[in-house]
Structures are given as structure tokens and as C-alpha cells.
Amino acid sequence: MINELEKDIDRVLFSEDDIKNMVKKVAAQINEDYAGKKPVLVVLLKGSLMFAADLMRSLVIDCEIDFIKVSSYSGTQSTGVINIVSDIRTDISGRHVIIVEDIVDTGLTLYKLKELLESRNPASLKICTLLDKPSGRKADVYVDYIGDVVGNEFIVGNGLDYDEKYRNLPYIGVMRN
Ligand code: IMP
């Protein structure tokens, strides 16, 4: 069957194999850094869904997962305002927390989220992202684990959307204009 979404994709940026390798690389670092620590992965919905599932399967340490949903985007432009749409249930006080993000662009979402989670007194708080878009940065956030870096292009697939579309593409591609 022909993929209905492919006609809108200009070119593939990361194949399924590329994504697997990025996940492996990040997981290996987390496995090493968190051995014996039982971290909580706080997954930012919805875009990080695929990455979080892949990452968790590659972790060999004891860990937990929870989900948070914030709204910050409409179309391709960051609004710089976040609202907590749905919060985590886990009490993260005294816990090692890793925020799992799909792509860091302006960094505003993570800046705000970090502030919020830090106020709950975790033992530590780090950020892990599949992709980093440093050219878009507006807030000063340190990203601890990065799968790969992308340029200033709008990309979709493997969880990343454009107005809720293309999340189910198994690869990551640049949209046709
Ligand atoms: P920011 O870092 O606060 O600007 O927002 C990051 C969020 O914006 C990510 O979690 C994505 O949901 C979305 N985003 C940023 N760049 C892209 C892109 O190229 N494609 C799809 N979503 C993106």
C-alpha cells in the first residue's frame, strides 16, 4: 500500500536505521550514568511518544515512566507560552528525573518545564532529546543527552507532527513547501 503521507515529504533526513542508532547512543549514556539509580522518565507528549518507547526498550537499568502534556505550539511557530494540559502523577521529590523530548527548538518549553519540575525537589533533573535544533534557541537550557542535531528546517515523522499529521511516518523527513 502506498504511504499517503509521503507525497508531502521533500526528503528523508533520518531513516529508521538512523533513528535506531541515535536511540542506542543516548540509551548507552543513560544506562551508564544511571546504573543503580532508578530514574523516572518524564515524557513530553505527544511528539516524544515513539522516542520514549524506543529509548525505554533500550534501557537495561531499573526505571519508571510518566507523561506530561503541555501546549506551546500551533502550526510551525513556537508561542513561548506553555500550559500544563496533563501533569505527571509520580511524586518526583528525591527522585532522579530525565525529561524526554522529541526536539528542542527555542528551548522555551523545556525552560518552563524544568522550572516547574525543579520546584518539586527532584534529586536530579536532566534533559534528553532525540533531536536538537540549536539555531532556533531563545532560552538558555542545557540539554544533557542529544541523539543528533538538525538545521533550521521543519521536520516531521517518528512522533513529530505538523498540525497533528505525519506522526506515524517511520522516518524523519523535511516537509515540501
Ligand atoms: P520549543 O523548544 O519550546 O520551541 O518547542 C519544542 C517543541 O516544538 C517540540 O517538542 C516539538 O513538539 C515542536 N517542534 C519544534 N521544532 C519542530 C519541528 O521541526 N517539527 C515538529 N515539531 C517541532
Side-chain angles (χ1 to χ4, degrees), residues 1-20 22 47 50-51 54 130-131 150 154-162 165-176:
M1 221 176 145
I2 295 167
N3 190 322
E4 293 175 15
L5 306 172
E6 243 154 34
K7 64 178 186 331
D8 302 336
I9 304 302
D10 184 41
R11 65 182 201 280
V12 176
L13 207 53
F14 298 105
S15 67
E16 290 185 65
D17 276 348
D18 294 335
I19 296 169
K20 270 186 199 150
M22 287 188 245
M50 272 78 162
F51 174 45
D54 289 343
L130 181 64
L131 296 170
V150 293
F154 196 80
I155 54 179
V156 292
N158 194 60
L160 291 164
D161 74 309
Y162 174 70
K165 203 172 165 179
Y166 310 107
R167 292 194 199 275
N168 53 319
L169 272 181
Y171 54 81
I172 294 169
V174 181
M175 280 184 62
R176 219 180 279 285

mmCIF file of all heavy atoms in Angstrom, residues 1-20 22 47 50-51 54 130-131 150 154-162 165-176:
data_model
loop_
_atom_site.group_PDB
_atom_site.id
_atom_site.type_symbol
_atom_site.label_atom_id
_atom_site.label_comp_id
_atom_site.label_asym_id
_atom_site.label_seq_id
_atom_site.Cartn_x
_atom_site.Cartn_y
_atom_site.Cartn_z
ATOM 1 N N MET A 1 0.837 -1.207 0.000
ATOM 2 C CA MET A 1 0.000 0.000 0.000
ATOM 3 C C MET A 1 0.874 1.260 0.000
ATOM 4 O O MET A 1 1.890 1.302 0.686
ATOM 5 C CB MET A 1 -0.853 -0.009 1.290
ATOM 6 C CG MET A 1 -2.246 0.424 1.069
ATOM 7 S SD MET A 1 -3.179 0.254 2.609
ATOM 8 C CE MET A 1 -4.246 1.639 2.464
ATOM 9 N N ILE A 2 0.470 2.240 -0.768
ATOM 10 C CA ILE A 2 1.250 3.486 -0.853
ATOM 11 C C ILE A 2 1.036 4.322 0.409
ATOM 12 O O ILE A 2 -0.087 4.441 0.897
ATOM 13 C CB ILE A 2 0.839 4.305 -2.107
ATOM 14 C CG1 ILE A 2 1.206 3.522 -3.363
ATOM 15 C CG2 ILE A 2 1.483 5.685 -2.118
ATOM 16 C CD1 ILE A 2 0.589 4.050 -4.626
ATOM 17 N N ASN A 3 2.123 4.871 0.948
ATOM 18 C CA ASN A 3 2.015 5.739 2.122
ATOM 19 C C ASN A 3 1.403 7.081 1.697
ATOM 20 O O ASN A 3 1.969 7.802 0.878
ATOM 21 C CB ASN A 3 3.399 5.949 2.751
ATOM 22 C CG ASN A 3 3.316 6.634 4.097
ATOM 23 O OD1 ASN A 3 2.512 7.530 4.306
ATOM 24 N ND2 ASN A 3 4.158 6.188 5.018
ATOM 25 N N GLU A 4 0.253 7.372 2.257
ATOM 26 C CA GLU A 4 -0.491 8.590 1.871
ATOM 27 C C GLU A 4 0.251 9.881 2.230
ATOM 28 O O GLU A 4 -0.048 10.947 1.716
ATOM 29 C CB GLU A 4 -1.838 8.635 2.606
ATOM 30 C CG GLU A 4 -2.803 7.569 2.213
ATOM 31 C CD GLU A 4 -4.052 7.615 3.085
ATOM 32 O OE1 GLU A 4 -4.279 8.616 3.774
ATOM 33 O OE2 GLU A 4 -4.783 6.614 3.072
ATOM 34 N N LEU A 5 1.185 9.773 3.180
ATOM 35 C CA LEU A 5 1.831 10.988 3.695
ATOM 36 C C LEU A 5 3.083 11.361 2.907
ATOM 37 O O LEU A 5 3.541 12.498 2.940
ATOM 38 C CB LEU A 5 2.205 10.786 5.165
ATOM 39 C CG LEU A 5 1.063 10.357 6.083
ATOM 40 C CD1 LEU A 5 1.600 10.007 7.456
ATOM 41 C CD2 LEU A 5 0.016 11.452 6.196
ATOM 42 N N GLU A 6 3.614 10.358 2.181
ATOM 43 C CA GLU A 6 4.923 10.541 1.549
ATOM 44 C C GLU A 6 4.982 11.646 0.501
ATOM 45 O O GLU A 6 6.022 12.270 0.315
ATOM 46 C CB GLU A 6 5.398 9.221 0.942
ATOM 47 C CG GLU A 6 6.650 8.760 1.618
ATOM 48 C CD GLU A 6 6.868 7.272 1.563
ATOM 49 O OE1 GLU A 6 6.499 6.640 0.560
ATOM 50 O OE2 GLU A 6 7.414 6.747 2.545
ATOM 51 N N LYS A 7 3.864 11.913 -0.125
ATOM 52 C CA LYS A 7 3.838 12.942 -1.178
ATOM 53 C C LYS A 7 4.173 14.335 -0.630
ATOM 54 O O LYS A 7 4.585 15.229 -1.365
ATOM 55 C CB LYS A 7 2.483 12.968 -1.890
ATOM 56 C CG LYS A 7 1.331 13.363 -0.991
ATOM 57 C CD LYS A 7 0.043 13.409 -1.795
ATOM 58 C CE LYS A 7 -1.163 13.941 -1.032
ATOM 59 N NZ LYS A 7 -1.243 13.759 0.402
ATOM 60 N N ASP A 8 4.002 14.526 0.681
ATOM 61 C CA ASP A 8 4.270 15.839 1.291
ATOM 62 C C ASP A 8 5.707 15.970 1.809
ATOM 63 O O ASP A 8 6.079 17.007 2.356
ATOM 64 C CB ASP A 8 3.332 16.076 2.490
ATOM 65 C CG ASP A 8 1.871 15.989 2.097
ATOM 66 O OD1 ASP A 8 1.583 16.199 0.905
ATOM 67 O OD2 ASP A 8 1.038 15.711 2.962
ATOM 68 N N ILE A 9 6.486 14.899 1.654
ATOM 69 C CA ILE A 9 7.849 14.916 2.197
ATOM 70 C C ILE A 9 8.857 15.207 1.084
ATOM 71 O O ILE A 9 8.882 14.530 0.054
ATOM 72 C CB ILE A 9 8.183 13.553 2.872
ATOM 73 C CG1 ILE A 9 7.146 13.226 3.952
ATOM 74 C CG2 ILE A 9 9.603 13.549 3.454
ATOM 75 C CD1 ILE A 9 7.000 14.264 5.064
ATOM 76 N N ASP A 10 9.677 16.213 1.315
ATOM 77 C CA ASP A 10 10.674 16.605 0.321
ATOM 78 C C ASP A 10 11.848 15.635 0.325
ATOM 79 O O ASP A 10 12.279 15.135 -0.701
ATOM 80 C CB ASP A 10 11.140 18.029 0.648
ATOM 81 C CG ASP A 10 12.101 18.561 -0.388
ATOM 82 O OD1 ASP A 10 11.844 18.316 -1.575
ATOM 83 O OD2 ASP A 10 13.096 19.200 -0.004
ATOM 84 N N ARG A 11 12.383 15.356 1.530
ATOM 85 C CA ARG A 11 13.487 14.388 1.611
ATOM 86 C C ARG A 11 13.579 13.787 3.011
ATOM 87 O O ARG A 11 13.148 14.402 4.002
ATOM 88 C CB ARG A 11 14.808 15.030 1.222
ATOM 89 C CG ARG A 11 15.258 16.121 2.155
ATOM 90 C CD ARG A 11 16.564 16.744 1.667
ATOM 91 N NE ARG A 11 17.230 17.411 2.768
ATOM 92 C CZ ARG A 11 16.898 18.617 3.210
ATOM 93 N NH1 ARG A 11 15.895 19.275 2.658
ATOM 94 N NH2 ARG A 11 17.538 19.154 4.222
ATOM 95 N N VAL A 12 14.132 12.586 3.057
ATOM 96 C CA VAL A 12 14.312 11.897 4.334
ATOM 97 C C VAL A 12 15.587 12.418 4.991
ATOM 98 O O VAL A 12 16.639 12.452 4.369
ATOM 99 C CB VAL A 12 14.409 10.369 4.124
ATOM 100 C CG1 VAL A 12 14.700 9.660 5.441
ATOM 101 C CG2 VAL A 12 13.134 9.832 3.501
ATOM 102 N N LEU A 13 15.455 12.803 6.249
ATOM 103 C CA LEU A 13 16.620 13.325 6.973
ATOM 104 C C LEU A 13 17.252 12.222 7.823
ATOM 105 O O LEU A 13 18.465 12.087 7.891
ATOM 106 C CB LEU A 13 16.149 14.477 7.862
ATOM 107 C CG LEU A 13 17.133 15.566 8.215
ATOM 108 C CD1 LEU A 13 17.767 16.152 6.972
ATOM 109 C CD2 LEU A 13 16.416 16.669 9.009
ATOM 110 N N PHE A 14 16.397 11.445 8.476
ATOM 111 C CA PHE A 14 16.861 10.309 9.292
ATOM 112 C C PHE A 14 16.000 9.089 8.969
ATOM 113 O O PHE A 14 14.788 9.119 9.167
ATOM 114 C CB PHE A 14 16.757 10.636 10.789
ATOM 115 C CG PHE A 14 17.605 11.800 11.217
ATOM 116 C CD1 PHE A 14 17.022 13.025 11.491
ATOM 117 C CD2 PHE A 14 18.987 11.674 11.321
ATOM 118 C CE1 PHE A 14 17.794 14.116 11.876
ATOM 119 C CE2 PHE A 14 19.774 12.767 11.700
ATOM 120 C CZ PHE A 14 19.171 13.981 11.982
ATOM 121 N N SER A 15 16.666 8.045 8.502
ATOM 122 C CA SER A 15 15.962 6.798 8.189
ATOM 123 C C SER A 15 15.626 6.060 9.486
ATOM 124 O O SER A 15 16.082 6.455 10.565
ATOM 125 C CB SER A 15 16.864 5.921 7.320
ATOM 126 O OG SER A 15 17.982 5.504 8.113
ATOM 127 N N GLU A 16 14.888 4.968 9.372
ATOM 128 C CA GLU A 16 14.571 4.168 10.559
ATOM 129 C C GLU A 16 15.855 3.677 11.225
ATOM 130 O O GLU A 16 15.943 3.639 12.448
ATOM 131 C CB GLU A 16 13.685 2.981 10.169
ATOM 132 C CG GLU A 16 12.291 3.403 9.766
ATOM 133 C CD GLU A 16 11.388 2.207 9.505
ATOM 134 O OE1 GLU A 16 11.106 1.458 10.450
ATOM 135 O OE2 GLU A 16 10.984 2.037 8.341
ATOM 136 N N ASP A 17 16.836 3.308 10.413
ATOM 137 C CA ASP A 17 18.121 2.847 10.969
ATOM 138 C C ASP A 17 18.863 3.979 11.673
ATOM 139 O O ASP A 17 19.456 3.777 12.728
ATOM 140 C CB ASP A 17 19.020 2.272 9.861
ATOM 141 C CG ASP A 17 18.693 0.814 9.584
ATOM 142 O OD1 ASP A 17 17.953 0.212 10.402
ATOM 143 O OD2 ASP A 17 19.153 0.296 8.559
ATOM 144 N N ASP A 18 18.820 5.169 11.076
ATOM 145 C CA ASP A 18 19.467 6.326 11.723
ATOM 146 C C ASP A 18 18.843 6.557 13.101
ATOM 147 O O ASP A 18 19.548 6.822 14.080
ATOM 148 C CB ASP A 18 19.262 7.611 10.902
ATOM 149 C CG ASP A 18 19.957 7.576 9.553
ATOM 150 O OD1 ASP A 18 20.939 6.831 9.408
ATOM 151 O OD2 ASP A 18 19.510 8.306 8.643
ATOM 152 N N ILE A 19 17.523 6.471 13.158
ATOM 153 C CA ILE A 19 16.814 6.715 14.424
ATOM 154 C C ILE A 19 17.222 5.658 15.456
ATOM 155 O O ILE A 19 17.507 5.980 16.608
ATOM 156 C CB ILE A 19 15.277 6.743 14.207
ATOM 157 C CG1 ILE A 19 14.895 7.927 13.305
ATOM 158 C CG2 ILE A 19 14.537 6.824 15.542
ATOM 159 C CD1 ILE A 19 13.470 7.930 12.800
ATOM 160 N N LYS A 20 17.281 4.400 15.003
ATOM 161 C CA LYS A 20 17.694 3.313 15.915
ATOM 162 C C LYS A 20 19.068 3.593 16.496
ATOM 163 O O LYS A 20 19.311 3.390 17.687
ATOM 164 C CB LYS A 20 17.755 1.980 15.148
ATOM 165 C CG LYS A 20 16.454 1.227 15.172
ATOM 166 C CD LYS A 20 16.610 -0.143 14.522
ATOM 167 C CE LYS A 20 15.225 -0.642 14.147
ATOM 168 N NZ LYS A 20 15.224 -1.506 12.983
ATOM 169 N N MET A 22 20.581 6.507 16.852
ATOM 170 C CA MET A 22 20.539 7.655 17.783
ATOM 171 C C MET A 22 20.026 7.192 19.136
ATOM 172 O O MET A 22 20.557 7.575 20.178
ATOM 173 C CB MET A 22 19.575 8.721 17.257
ATOM 174 C CG MET A 22 20.059 9.496 16.095
ATOM 175 S SD MET A 22 18.852 10.828 15.826
ATOM 176 C CE MET A 22 18.197 10.422 14.286
ATOM 177 N N GLY A 47 4.762 14.376 20.930
ATOM 178 C CA GLY A 47 5.830 14.104 19.977
ATOM 179 C C GLY A 47 6.870 13.084 20.408
ATOM 180 O O GLY A 47 7.448 12.390 19.578
ATOM 181 N N MET A 50 7.167 8.006 20.416
ATOM 182 C CA MET A 50 7.961 6.954 19.751
ATOM 183 C C MET A 50 9.369 6.878 20.339
ATOM 184 O O MET A 50 9.874 5.807 20.614
ATOM 185 C CB MET A 50 8.081 7.213 18.246
ATOM 186 C CG MET A 50 6.977 6.634 17.434
ATOM 187 S SD MET A 50 5.538 7.673 17.578
ATOM 188 C CE MET A 50 4.606 7.146 16.170
ATOM 189 N N PHE A 51 9.989 8.037 20.502
ATOM 190 C CA PHE A 51 11.345 8.073 21.041
ATOM 191 C C PHE A 51 11.370 7.478 22.446
ATOM 192 O O PHE A 51 12.262 6.684 22.769
ATOM 193 C CB PHE A 51 11.849 9.521 21.051
ATOM 194 C CG PHE A 51 13.181 9.715 21.727
ATOM 195 C CD1 PHE A 51 14.238 8.841 21.484
ATOM 196 C CD2 PHE A 51 13.387 10.780 22.598
ATOM 197 C CE1 PHE A 51 15.478 9.023 22.107
ATOM 198 C CE2 PHE A 51 14.608 10.972 23.222
ATOM 199 C CZ PHE A 51 15.652 10.084 22.984
ATOM 200 N N ASP A 54 11.070 3.669 22.271
ATOM 201 C CA ASP A 54 12.325 3.095 21.772
ATOM 202 C C ASP A 54 13.419 3.188 22.828
ATOM 203 O O ASP A 54 14.169 2.238 23.055
ATOM 204 C CB ASP A 54 12.796 3.832 20.515
ATOM 205 C CG ASP A 54 11.927 3.540 19.305
ATOM 206 O OD1 ASP A 54 11.176 2.551 19.337
ATOM 207 O OD2 ASP A 54 11.998 4.319 18.332
ATOM 208 N N LEU A 130 15.754 13.548 21.325
ATOM 209 C CA LEU A 130 16.177 12.819 20.133
ATOM 210 C C LEU A 130 16.900 13.792 19.202
ATOM 211 O O LEU A 130 17.962 13.480 18.690
ATOM 212 C CB LEU A 130 14.959 12.210 19.420
ATOM 213 C CG LEU A 130 15.276 11.396 18.178
ATOM 214 C CD1 LEU A 130 16.104 10.167 18.512
ATOM 215 C CD2 LEU A 130 14.003 10.982 17.441
ATOM 216 N N LEU A 131 16.332 14.990 19.040
ATOM 217 C CA LEU A 131 16.931 15.955 18.120
ATOM 218 C C LEU A 131 17.077 17.334 18.751
ATOM 219 O O LEU A 131 16.255 17.743 19.565
ATOM 220 C CB LEU A 131 16.063 16.072 16.860
ATOM 221 C CG LEU A 131 15.974 14.805 16.026
ATOM 222 C CD1 LEU A 131 14.902 14.962 14.963
ATOM 223 C CD2 LEU A 131 17.312 14.463 15.390
ATOM 224 N N VAL A 150 19.867 19.056 14.141
ATOM 225 C CA VAL A 150 19.277 19.391 12.841
ATOM 226 C C VAL A 150 19.390 20.891 12.588
ATOM 227 O O VAL A 150 19.542 21.677 13.521
ATOM 228 C CB VAL A 150 17.783 18.967 12.738
ATOM 229 C CG1 VAL A 150 17.645 17.476 12.752
ATOM 230 C CG2 VAL A 150 16.935 19.611 13.835
ATOM 231 N N PHE A 154 11.744 22.612 9.186
ATOM 232 C CA PHE A 154 10.638 21.992 9.899
ATOM 233 C C PHE A 154 10.539 20.532 9.470
ATOM 234 O O PHE A 154 10.414 20.220 8.298
ATOM 235 C CB PHE A 154 9.316 22.722 9.633
ATOM 236 C CG PHE A 154 8.286 22.337 10.638
ATOM 237 C CD1 PHE A 154 8.287 22.920 11.902
ATOM 238 C CD2 PHE A 154 7.343 21.357 10.355
ATOM 239 C CE1 PHE A 154 7.359 22.545 12.865
ATOM 240 C CE2 PHE A 154 6.410 20.976 11.308
ATOM 241 C CZ PHE A 154 6.420 21.574 12.562
ATOM 242 N N ILE A 155 10.637 19.651 10.439
ATOM 243 C CA ILE A 155 10.690 18.225 10.126
ATOM 244 C C ILE A 155 9.529 17.481 10.780
ATOM 245 O O ILE A 155 8.979 17.922 11.792
ATOM 246 C CB ILE A 155 12.033 17.607 10.571
ATOM 247 C CG1 ILE A 155 12.309 17.904 12.052
ATOM 248 C CG2 ILE A 155 13.162 18.129 9.705
ATOM 249 C CD1 ILE A 155 13.591 17.308 12.567
ATOM 250 N N VAL A 156 9.181 16.367 10.178
ATOM 251 C CA VAL A 156 8.049 15.567 10.681
ATOM 252 C C VAL A 156 8.399 14.071 10.651
ATOM 253 O O VAL A 156 9.347 13.661 9.986
ATOM 254 C CB VAL A 156 6.768 15.807 9.837
ATOM 255 C CG1 VAL A 156 6.238 17.209 10.018
ATOM 256 C CG2 VAL A 156 7.017 15.499 8.363
ATOM 257 N N GLY A 157 7.598 13.306 11.379
ATOM 258 C CA GLY A 157 7.761 11.852 11.400
ATOM 259 C C GLY A 157 8.318 11.351 12.716
ATOM 260 O O GLY A 157 8.852 12.146 13.512
ATOM 261 N N ASN A 158 8.166 10.051 12.974
ATOM 262 C CA ASN A 158 8.631 9.426 14.220
ATOM 263 C C ASN A 158 8.131 10.211 15.447
ATOM 264 O O ASN A 158 8.863 10.460 16.385
ATOM 265 C CB ASN A 158 10.159 9.331 14.235
ATOM 266 C CG ASN A 158 10.680 8.396 15.327
ATOM 267 O OD1 ASN A 158 10.351 7.214 15.339
ATOM 268 N ND2 ASN A 158 11.444 8.912 16.264
ATOM 269 N N GLY A 159 6.870 10.602 15.410
ATOM 270 C CA GLY A 159 6.270 11.338 16.528
ATOM 271 C C GLY A 159 6.107 12.815 16.270
ATOM 272 O O GLY A 159 5.203 13.459 16.814
ATOM 273 N N LEU A 160 6.981 13.374 15.434
ATOM 274 C CA LEU A 160 6.908 14.816 15.154
ATOM 275 C C LEU A 160 5.772 15.105 14.168
ATOM 276 O O LEU A 160 5.630 14.411 13.160
ATOM 277 C CB LEU A 160 8.226 15.305 14.547
ATOM 278 C CG LEU A 160 9.430 15.303 15.474
ATOM 279 C CD1 LEU A 160 10.710 15.423 14.667
ATOM 280 C CD2 LEU A 160 9.325 16.446 16.468
ATOM 281 N N ASP A 161 5.027 16.162 14.458
ATOM 282 C CA ASP A 161 3.845 16.438 13.638
ATOM 283 C C ASP A 161 3.869 17.811 13.003
ATOM 284 O O ASP A 161 4.638 18.692 13.395
ATOM 285 C CB ASP A 161 2.583 16.345 14.493
ATOM 286 C CG ASP A 161 2.447 17.563 15.424
ATOM 287 O OD1 ASP A 161 3.428 17.876 16.123
ATOM 288 O OD2 ASP A 161 1.386 18.195 15.432
ATOM 289 N N TYR A 162 2.983 17.979 12.042
ATOM 290 C CA TYR A 162 2.584 19.307 11.596
ATOM 291 C C TYR A 162 1.066 19.320 11.715
ATOM 292 O O TYR A 162 0.389 18.556 11.010
ATOM 293 C CB TYR A 162 3.015 19.569 10.148
ATOM 294 C CG TYR A 162 2.466 20.882 9.639
ATOM 295 C CD1 TYR A 162 2.947 22.092 10.133
ATOM 296 C CD2 TYR A 162 1.426 20.924 8.705
ATOM 297 C CE1 TYR A 162 2.421 23.296 9.710
ATOM 298 C CE2 TYR A 162 0.903 22.122 8.277
ATOM 299 C CZ TYR A 162 1.399 23.303 8.785
ATOM 300 O OH TYR A 162 0.868 24.503 8.374
ATOM 301 N N LYS A 165 -0.476 15.886 12.062
ATOM 302 C CA LYS A 165 -0.288 14.949 10.944
ATOM 303 C C LYS A 165 1.168 14.494 10.887
ATOM 304 O O LYS A 165 2.048 15.206 11.369
ATOM 305 C CB LYS A 165 -0.685 15.682 9.660
ATOM 306 C CG LYS A 165 -1.084 14.793 8.532
ATOM 307 C CD LYS A 165 -1.651 15.620 7.393
ATOM 308 C CE LYS A 165 -1.703 14.792 6.121
ATOM 309 N NZ LYS A 165 -2.258 15.554 5.001
ATOM 310 N N TYR A 166 1.422 13.371 10.291
ATOM 311 C CA TYR A 166 2.754 12.801 9.991
ATOM 312 C C TYR A 166 3.461 12.135 11.172
ATOM 313 O O TYR A 166 4.576 11.672 11.026
ATOM 314 C CB TYR A 166 3.717 13.867 9.404
ATOM 315 C CG TYR A 166 3.143 14.644 8.258
ATOM 316 C CD1 TYR A 166 2.764 15.970 8.411
ATOM 317 C CD2 TYR A 166 2.959 14.027 7.015
ATOM 318 C CE1 TYR A 166 2.216 16.682 7.353
ATOM 319 C CE2 TYR A 166 2.409 14.739 5.952
ATOM 320 C CZ TYR A 166 2.044 16.062 6.137
ATOM 321 O OH TYR A 166 1.498 16.767 5.091
ATOM 322 N N ARG A 167 2.824 12.067 12.346
ATOM 323 C CA ARG A 167 3.494 11.441 13.491
ATOM 324 C C ARG A 167 3.829 9.974 13.199
ATOM 325 O O ARG A 167 4.790 9.432 13.723
ATOM 326 C CB ARG A 167 2.595 11.480 14.737
ATOM 327 C CG ARG A 167 2.369 12.864 15.300
ATOM 328 C CD ARG A 167 1.782 12.754 16.701
ATOM 329 N NE ARG A 167 1.132 13.977 17.143
ATOM 330 C CZ ARG A 167 1.737 15.010 17.710
ATOM 331 N NH1 ARG A 167 3.034 14.970 17.901
ATOM 332 N NH2 ARG A 167 1.070 16.075 18.091
ATOM 333 N N ASN A 168 3.012 9.324 12.388
ATOM 334 C CA ASN A 168 3.174 7.890 12.130
ATOM 335 C C ASN A 168 4.164 7.562 11.023
ATOM 336 O O ASN A 168 4.377 6.383 10.715
ATOM 337 C CB ASN A 168 1.816 7.239 11.826
ATOM 338 C CG ASN A 168 1.056 7.932 10.721
ATOM 339 O OD1 ASN A 168 1.042 9.167 10.658
ATOM 340 N ND2 ASN A 168 0.432 7.172 9.852
ATOM 341 N N LEU A 169 4.792 8.562 10.413
ATOM 342 C CA LEU A 169 5.865 8.253 9.448
ATOM 343 C C LEU A 169 6.995 7.571 10.207
ATOM 344 O O LEU A 169 7.430 8.087 11.245
ATOM 345 C CB LEU A 169 6.411 9.533 8.824
ATOM 346 C CG LEU A 169 5.758 10.111 7.573
ATOM 347 C CD1 LEU A 169 6.507 11.369 7.161
ATOM 348 C CD2 LEU A 169 5.724 9.107 6.440
ATOM 349 N N PRO A 170 7.513 6.452 9.717
ATOM 350 C CA PRO A 170 8.551 5.730 10.470
ATOM 351 C C PRO A 170 9.933 6.372 10.401
ATOM 352 O O PRO A 170 10.839 5.969 11.110
ATOM 353 C CB PRO A 170 8.558 4.335 9.822
ATOM 354 C CG PRO A 170 8.010 4.541 8.461
ATOM 355 C CD PRO A 170 7.073 5.708 8.523
ATOM 356 N N TYR A 171 10.084 7.352 9.529
ATOM 357 C CA TYR A 171 11.362 8.061 9.421
ATOM 358 C C TYR A 171 11.112 9.555 9.694
ATOM 359 O O TYR A 171 9.969 9.977 9.871
ATOM 360 C CB TYR A 171 11.974 7.867 8.025
ATOM 361 C CG TYR A 171 11.047 8.237 6.901
ATOM 362 C CD1 TYR A 171 10.883 9.553 6.515
ATOM 363 C CD2 TYR A 171 10.313 7.257 6.234
ATOM 364 C CE1 TYR A 171 10.017 9.902 5.496
ATOM 365 C CE2 TYR A 171 9.430 7.592 5.211
ATOM 366 C CZ TYR A 171 9.288 8.923 4.853
ATOM 367 O OH TYR A 171 8.412 9.270 3.856
ATOM 368 N N ILE A 172 12.197 10.334 9.708
ATOM 369 C CA ILE A 172 12.051 11.777 9.912
ATOM 370 C C ILE A 172 12.422 12.487 8.623
ATOM 371 O O ILE A 172 13.489 12.230 8.045
ATOM 372 C CB ILE A 172 12.941 12.256 11.086
ATOM 373 C CG1 ILE A 172 12.415 11.639 12.396
ATOM 374 C CG2 ILE A 172 12.948 13.780 11.182
ATOM 375 C CD1 ILE A 172 13.348 11.813 13.577
ATOM 376 N N GLY A 173 11.515 13.341 8.159
ATOM 377 C CA GLY A 173 11.757 13.998 6.886
ATOM 378 C C GLY A 173 11.430 15.475 6.916
ATOM 379 O O GLY A 173 10.791 15.980 7.837
ATOM 380 N N VAL A 174 11.915 16.150 5.863
ATOM 381 C CA VAL A 174 11.649 17.584 5.716
ATOM 382 C C VAL A 174 10.413 17.738 4.844
ATOM 383 O O VAL A 174 10.297 17.078 3.812
ATOM 384 C CB VAL A 174 12.841 18.294 5.028
ATOM 385 C CG1 VAL A 174 12.583 19.780 4.890
ATOM 386 C CG2 VAL A 174 14.120 18.049 5.819
ATOM 387 N N MET A 175 9.511 18.597 5.273
ATOM 388 C CA MET A 175 8.285 18.788 4.507
ATOM 389 C C MET A 175 8.517 19.606 3.244
ATOM 390 O O MET A 175 9.329 20.502 3.209
ATOM 391 C CB MET A 175 7.252 19.505 5.387
ATOM 392 C CG MET A 175 6.563 18.571 6.322
ATOM 393 S SD MET A 175 5.290 19.428 7.252
ATOM 394 C CE MET A 175 4.205 19.943 5.968
ATOM 395 N N ARG A 176 7.749 19.255 2.234
ATOM 396 C CA ARG A 176 7.761 20.023 0.998
ATOM 397 C C ARG A 176 7.107 21.378 1.274
ATOM 398 O O ARG A 176 6.147 21.434 2.042
ATOM 399 C CB ARG A 176 6.902 19.274 -0.025
ATOM 400 C CG ARG A 176 7.407 19.283 -1.411
ATOM 401 C CD ARG A 176 6.457 18.511 -2.295
ATOM 402 N NE ARG A 176 6.639 17.061 -2.222
ATOM 403 C CZ ARG A 176 7.659 16.412 -2.799
ATOM 404 N NH1 ARG A 176 8.576 17.068 -3.468
ATOM 405 N NH2 ARG A 176 7.749 15.100 -2.703
#
